[in-house]
Amino acid sequence: MTTLIVFLSLIAFGAVLALLRIFRGPTLSDRVAALDIMNVIVTGVIVLFALIEENPLFLDIALVYAALSFLETVVVARYLEGRK
């Protein structure tokens, strides 16, 4: 149980840092990278929840979320590339 609390605390700390970068990032690229980090953290939390609940449905949800977040990152990167 202590390991889970430490793990969740580290995830929350990482999420807070990523949120700070999203809101205060000096450039748009920094904000996009922070948003991608948030997506990875959310995917990890969904997988962790699937392991705790022993329900494989959440793994499917995590897989779809990861694929959509990857597409989001690619679309934003293409948009930023076209702006130059």
Side-chain angles (χ1 to χ4, degrees), residues 40-75:
V40 169
I41 289 172
V42 169
T43 303
V45 167
I46 293 172
V47 169
L48 180 66
F49 191 68
L51 291 174
I52 291 172
E53 292 294 321
E54 296 178 2
N55 188 350
L57 177 65
F58 291 111
L59 292 176
D60 295 336
I61 293 170
L63 185 64
V64 170
Y65 184 82
L68 290 176
S69 66
F70 173 73
L71 284 176
E72 171 237 334
T73 303
V74 169
V75 167

